[in-house]
């Protein structure tokens, strides 16, 4: 009997070792601790299945060593090519997308470095390439070498991700280490967000998963993740999300860029700007100077533009403004219909440099009739945010202006050319105290969700937003290309017919309605036109030279 017991002990020890090893492997691959090790009474989330390491090469986690790091097929056959962080840009406009068969190519346009730091180019997929599946990514080559480019080697080929499906598309490091992951398709419906407990953040490289960590927040297209363990500066990590109960993680083109080591900063510490302005733009070059100069005069210290695919030489307009002393920053943001996510990015990454952020469009001007008898001063906007410390957001009602009889863009500026508006406000826009934003960064473009200790305040009288919304038809019809908001239907979609986001009397095609130039004219309102003429001349000229500083 004692001999049997002595023989059984090694068996039990061996079984225990096997169970322990299997448990450790399970925890490494899934990040989920089995129930036997759970010490809390709260039931654990569903097991999170992650593709085994041997399948990474075949899955969405595969990483290529070619110059092309990732490629996304956007709507309208537009191809977005992302290069490795250490790739060298091709000078000027001398770039071409060369597709794998060597016979197809398309002119490539450099859009700069994305917030994550990677060089990005766009081009249109040639007709001949659209017939071949799966879609292979092109290479970015100098135009002179495009036709002589050899076919892609099989091991260098990169398959395109499709914007029409799920995709992790960007990331950002905030608060000294936390990671924001931007993904579409995880929370596909407005107001319905998957619990963060059902998600894990995966950091990976060619050799496999580096870390699997629980997500902290989940709202719209923004997910907050813990940082991965320290890694070599030369070891580029990719980041994605995994959903409980699903075998494969979300496809990803996003990389993780660790923050600089403690004690090392990219620039000397400075005090925060009092008021910044953030907006998402596309082809607004001819409107930009009027908007920047006006708001700089009344109190905006810095302008942050998320460029959503401009091809009207926006950098040239920004260079001219910068040369004139205005602080204008541009970030390429090529992702379609992601305005809410872009604003979340802006609220998070600029929290250390801006105290308040005005989220307004380039056709929107903050104005108060009380300013009419005074010269322009930075104290004007500062008076709007001079609120109690527990007020985290100030909202202003929008007055929507119509075409005002115009049939073409008024060369003297929108504040001068559009002077007829609707009687009642329809929407509002907000200035956000960035420290008050909820960690989820949830927003609906017009306003943000706030931390519990903060409240919002609506300005009932005085200040407002002049929204030059319904402009001359040649300008307004450009909007039919695509809506920028994630949750607002495009103009051609026959849904939400009664929504306030729909223009009354407008159809589903870019066809000018009868009498468009006279529409939306209930009140003749020349207040801002007259004020800016007194401030800056008639027509408005070099606003910067007339700026009066009454700080």
């Amino acid at each position: 009997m004692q001999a049997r017991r002595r023989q059984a002990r090694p068996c039990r020890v061996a079984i225990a070792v096997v169970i322990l090893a299997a448990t450790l492997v399970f925890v490494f691959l899934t990040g989920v601790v089995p129930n036997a090790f759970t010490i809390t009474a709260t039931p654990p989330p569903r097991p999170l299945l992650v593709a085994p390491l041997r399948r990474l090469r075949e899955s969405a986690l595969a990483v290529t060593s070619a110059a092309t790091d990732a490629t996304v097929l956007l709507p309208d056959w537009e191809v977005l090519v992302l290069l490795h962080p250490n790739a060298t840009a091709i000078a000027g406009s001398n770039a071409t997308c060369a597709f794998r068969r060597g016979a197809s190519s398309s002119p490539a346009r450099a859009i700069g470095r994305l917030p994550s730091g990677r060089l990005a180019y766009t081009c249109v997929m040639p007709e001949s390439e659209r017939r071949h599946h799966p879609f292979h990514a092109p290479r970015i080559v100098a135009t002179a070498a495009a036709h002589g480019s050899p076919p892609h080697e099989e091991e260098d080929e990169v398959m395109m991700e499709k914007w029409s499906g799920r995709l992790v598309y960007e990331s950002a490091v905030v608060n000294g280490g936390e990671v924001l992951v931007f993904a579409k398709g995880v929370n596909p419906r407005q107001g319905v967000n998957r619990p963060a407990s059902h998600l894990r953040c995966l950091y990976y490289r060619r050799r496999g998963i580096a870390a699997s960590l629980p997500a902290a927040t989940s709202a719209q297209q923004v997910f907050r993740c813990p940082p991965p363990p320290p890694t070599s500066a030369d070891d580029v990590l990719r980041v994605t999300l995994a959903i409980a109960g699903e075998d494969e993680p979300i496809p990803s083109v996003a990389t993780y860029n660790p923050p600089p080591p403690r004690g090392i900063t990219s620039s000397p510490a400075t005090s925060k700007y009092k008021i910044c302005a953030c907006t998402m733009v596309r082809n607004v070059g001819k409107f930009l100077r009027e908007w920047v100069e006006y708001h700089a005069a009344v109190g905006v210290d810095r302008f942050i533009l998320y460029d959503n695919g401009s091809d009207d030489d926006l950098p040239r307009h920004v260079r001219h403004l910068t040369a004139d002393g205005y602080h204008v920053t541009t970030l390429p943001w090529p992702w379609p219909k992601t305005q809410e996510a872009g604003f979340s990015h802006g609220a998070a990454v600029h929290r250390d440099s801006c105290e308040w952020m005005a989220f307004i469009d380039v056709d929107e001007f903050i104005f108060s009739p009380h300013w009419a008898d005074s010269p322009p001063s930075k104290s004007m906007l500062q008076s709007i945010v001079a609120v109690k410390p527990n007020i985290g957001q100030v909202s202003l009602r929008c007055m929507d202006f119509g075409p005002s009889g115009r049939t073409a863009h008024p060369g003297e500026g929108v504040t001068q050319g559009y002077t007829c508006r609707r009687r009642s406000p329809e929407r509002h826009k907000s200035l956000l105290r960035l420290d008050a934003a909820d960690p989820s960064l949830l927003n609906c473009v017009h306003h943000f969700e706030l931390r519990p200790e903060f409240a919002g305040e609506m300005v009932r009288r005085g200040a407002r937003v002049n929204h030059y919304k319904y402009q001359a038809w040649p300008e307004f019809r450009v909007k039919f290309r695509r809506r920028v908001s994630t949750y607002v239907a495009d103009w051609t979609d026959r849904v939400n017919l009664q929504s306030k986001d729909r223009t009354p009397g407008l159809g589903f095609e870019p066809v000018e309605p009868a009498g468009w130039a006279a529409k939306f004219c209930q009140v003749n309102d020349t207040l801002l036109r007259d004020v800016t003429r007194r401030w800056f001349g008639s027509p408005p000229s070099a606003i910067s030279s007339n700026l009066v500083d009454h700080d």
Side-chain angles (χ1 to χ4, degrees), residues 531-542:
V531 166
T532 52
R533 285 184 178 182
R534 285 198 296 273
W535 285 356
F536 311 125
S538 179
S541 53

PDB file of all heavy atoms in Angstrom, residues 531-542:
ATOM      1  N   VAL A 531     -19.333  94.707 -38.062  1.00  0.00           N
ATOM      2  CA  VAL A 531     -18.294  94.769 -37.033  1.00  0.00           C
ATOM      3  C   VAL A 531     -16.927  94.516 -37.638  1.00  0.00           C
ATOM      4  O   VAL A 531     -15.963  95.252 -37.361  1.00  0.00           O
ATOM      5  CB  VAL A 531     -18.591  93.748 -35.914  1.00  0.00           C
ATOM      6  CG1 VAL A 531     -17.372  93.548 -35.023  1.00  0.00           C
ATOM      7  CG2 VAL A 531     -19.776  94.191 -35.087  1.00  0.00           C
ATOM      8  N   THR A 532     -16.808  93.485 -38.476  1.00  0.00           N
ATOM      9  CA  THR A 532     -15.504  93.183 -39.056  1.00  0.00           C
ATOM     10  C   THR A 532     -15.046  94.285 -40.015  1.00  0.00           C
ATOM     11  O   THR A 532     -13.839  94.526 -40.155  1.00  0.00           O
ATOM     12  CB  THR A 532     -15.534  91.832 -39.781  1.00  0.00           C
ATOM     13  OG1 THR A 532     -16.634  91.802 -40.710  1.00  0.00           O
ATOM     14  CG2 THR A 532     -15.703  90.695 -38.789  1.00  0.00           C
ATOM     15  N   ARG A 533     -15.968  94.955 -40.653  1.00  0.00           N
ATOM     16  CA  ARG A 533     -15.575  96.078 -41.507  1.00  0.00           C
ATOM     17  C   ARG A 533     -14.989  97.211 -40.675  1.00  0.00           C
ATOM     18  O   ARG A 533     -14.017  97.854 -41.074  1.00  0.00           O
ATOM     19  CB  ARG A 533     -16.772  96.576 -42.321  1.00  0.00           C
ATOM     20  CG  ARG A 533     -17.127  95.656 -43.485  1.00  0.00           C
ATOM     21  CD  ARG A 533     -18.243  96.228 -44.328  1.00  0.00           C
ATOM     22  NE  ARG A 533     -18.540  95.369 -45.466  1.00  0.00           N
ATOM     23  CZ  ARG A 533     -19.453  95.640 -46.401  1.00  0.00           C
ATOM     24  NH1 ARG A 533     -20.169  96.762 -46.312  1.00  0.00           N
ATOM     25  NH2 ARG A 533     -19.657  94.813 -47.397  1.00  0.00           N
ATOM     26  N   ARG A 534     -15.593  97.451 -39.504  1.00  0.00           N
ATOM     27  CA  ARG A 534     -15.045  98.491 -38.632  1.00  0.00           C
ATOM     28  C   ARG A 534     -13.698  98.068 -38.067  1.00  0.00           C
ATOM     29  O   ARG A 534     -12.799  98.898 -37.896  1.00  0.00           O
ATOM     30  CB  ARG A 534     -16.035  98.800 -37.498  1.00  0.00           C
ATOM     31  CG  ARG A 534     -17.236  99.616 -37.932  1.00  0.00           C
ATOM     32  CD  ARG A 534     -17.932 100.247 -36.735  1.00  0.00           C
ATOM     33  NE  ARG A 534     -18.493  99.244 -35.824  1.00  0.00           N
ATOM     34  CZ  ARG A 534     -19.708  98.712 -35.943  1.00  0.00           C
ATOM     35  NH1 ARG A 534     -20.485  99.096 -36.947  1.00  0.00           N
ATOM     36  NH2 ARG A 534     -20.140  97.829 -35.077  1.00  0.00           N
ATOM     37  N   TRP A 535     -13.568  96.803 -37.760  1.00  0.00           N
ATOM     38  CA  TRP A 535     -12.325  96.316 -37.157  1.00  0.00           C
ATOM     39  C   TRP A 535     -11.165  96.269 -38.153  1.00  0.00           C
ATOM     40  O   TRP A 535     -10.046  96.668 -37.848  1.00  0.00           O
ATOM     41  CB  TRP A 535     -12.531  94.909 -36.597  1.00  0.00           C
ATOM     42  CG  TRP A 535     -13.301  94.846 -35.325  1.00  0.00           C
ATOM     43  CD1 TRP A 535     -13.772  95.885 -34.586  1.00  0.00           C
ATOM     44  CD2 TRP A 535     -13.697  93.656 -34.649  1.00  0.00           C
ATOM     45  NE1 TRP A 535     -14.445  95.426 -33.487  1.00  0.00           N
ATOM     46  CE2 TRP A 535     -14.415  94.054 -33.494  1.00  0.00           C
ATOM     47  CE3 TRP A 535     -13.537  92.297 -34.898  1.00  0.00           C
ATOM     48  CZ2 TRP A 535     -14.952  93.140 -32.588  1.00  0.00           C
ATOM     49  CZ3 TRP A 535     -14.071  91.382 -34.005  1.00  0.00           C
ATOM     50  CH2 TRP A 535     -14.765  91.796 -32.857  1.00  0.00           C
ATOM     51  N   PHE A 536     -11.459  95.737 -39.336  1.00  0.00           N
ATOM     52  CA  PHE A 536     -10.367  95.375 -40.241  1.00  0.00           C
ATOM     53  C   PHE A 536     -10.373  96.126 -41.560  1.00  0.00           C
ATOM     54  O   PHE A 536      -9.541  95.874 -42.424  1.00  0.00           O
ATOM     55  CB  PHE A 536     -10.414  93.868 -40.538  1.00  0.00           C
ATOM     56  CG  PHE A 536     -10.530  93.029 -39.301  1.00  0.00           C
ATOM     57  CD1 PHE A 536     -11.573  92.116 -39.169  1.00  0.00           C
ATOM     58  CD2 PHE A 536      -9.612  93.134 -38.278  1.00  0.00           C
ATOM     59  CE1 PHE A 536     -11.688  91.334 -38.031  1.00  0.00           C
ATOM     60  CE2 PHE A 536      -9.723  92.350 -37.139  1.00  0.00           C
ATOM     61  CZ  PHE A 536     -10.766  91.454 -37.008  1.00  0.00           C
ATOM     62  N   GLY A 537     -11.326  97.004 -41.777  1.00  0.00           N
ATOM     63  CA  GLY A 537     -11.395  97.710 -43.050  1.00  0.00           C
ATOM     64  C   GLY A 537     -12.487  97.145 -43.930  1.00  0.00           C
ATOM     65  O   GLY A 537     -13.079  96.111 -43.647  1.00  0.00           O
ATOM     66  N   SER A 538     -12.760  97.784 -45.028  1.00  0.00           N
ATOM     67  CA  SER A 538     -13.832  97.361 -45.935  1.00  0.00           C
ATOM     68  C   SER A 538     -13.302  97.354 -47.364  1.00  0.00           C
ATOM     69  O   SER A 538     -13.027  98.419 -47.929  1.00  0.00           O
ATOM     70  CB  SER A 538     -15.017  98.316 -45.827  1.00  0.00           C
ATOM     71  OG  SER A 538     -16.050  97.929 -46.710  1.00  0.00           O
ATOM     72  N   PRO A 539     -13.137  96.160 -47.981  1.00  0.00           N
ATOM     73  CA  PRO A 539     -13.340  94.839 -47.367  1.00  0.00           C
ATOM     74  C   PRO A 539     -12.235  94.522 -46.372  1.00  0.00           C
ATOM     75  O   PRO A 539     -11.196  95.194 -46.388  1.00  0.00           O
ATOM     76  CB  PRO A 539     -13.289  93.889 -48.566  1.00  0.00           C
ATOM     77  CG  PRO A 539     -12.403  94.578 -49.533  1.00  0.00           C
ATOM     78  CD  PRO A 539     -12.702  96.051 -49.381  1.00  0.00           C
ATOM     79  N   PRO A 540     -12.434  93.520 -45.494  1.00  0.00           N
ATOM     80  CA  PRO A 540     -11.408  93.197 -44.503  1.00  0.00           C
ATOM     81  C   PRO A 540     -10.060  92.964 -45.168  1.00  0.00           C
ATOM     82  O   PRO A 540      -9.958  92.283 -46.177  1.00  0.00           O
ATOM     83  CB  PRO A 540     -11.942  91.903 -43.866  1.00  0.00           C
ATOM     84  CG  PRO A 540     -13.415  91.954 -44.090  1.00  0.00           C
ATOM     85  CD  PRO A 540     -13.602  92.628 -45.418  1.00  0.00           C
ATOM     86  N   SER A 541      -9.031  93.546 -44.599  1.00  0.00           N
ATOM     87  CA  SER A 541      -7.700  93.416 -45.199  1.00  0.00           C
ATOM     88  C   SER A 541      -6.761  92.751 -44.209  1.00  0.00           C
ATOM     89  O   SER A 541      -7.078  91.714 -43.653  1.00  0.00           O
ATOM     90  CB  SER A 541      -7.190  94.802 -45.612  1.00  0.00           C
ATOM     91  OG  SER A 541      -7.255  95.701 -44.520  1.00  0.00           O
ATOM     92  N   ALA A 542      -5.623  93.356 -43.953  1.00  0.00           N
ATOM     93  CA  ALA A 542      -4.603  92.718 -43.106  1.00  0.00           C
ATOM     94  C   ALA A 542      -5.031  92.795 -41.649  1.00  0.00           C
ATOM     95  O   ALA A 542      -4.702  93.725 -40.927  1.00  0.00           O
ATOM     96  CB  ALA A 542      -3.260  93.397 -43.301  1.00  0.00           C
TER      97      ALA A 542
END
